[in-house]
Amino acid sequence: MKKVKNRWLIAASAVGIHLSIGSVYAWSVFTTPLV
């Protein structure tokens, strides 16, 4: 059971990292036309 929980923790952290990187990239893309 601990192995499955650890796998979900890794998956959730990977999704969080991808969302943070994607939000920074989207911000850099959207600020240029707005300015």
Side-chain angles (χ1 to χ4, degrees):
M1 189 65 189
K2 193 169 191 231
K3 190 101 173 170
V4 176
K5 194 172 185 183
N6 193 19
R7 189 180 298 161
W8 276 108
L9 184 66
I10 292 171
S13 61
V15 168
I17 290 169
H18 279 94
L19 282 175
S20 63
I21 292 171
S23 63
V24 170
Y25 175 72
W27 180 255
S28 65
V29 168
F30 282 125
T31 46
T32 310
L34 287 175
V35 172

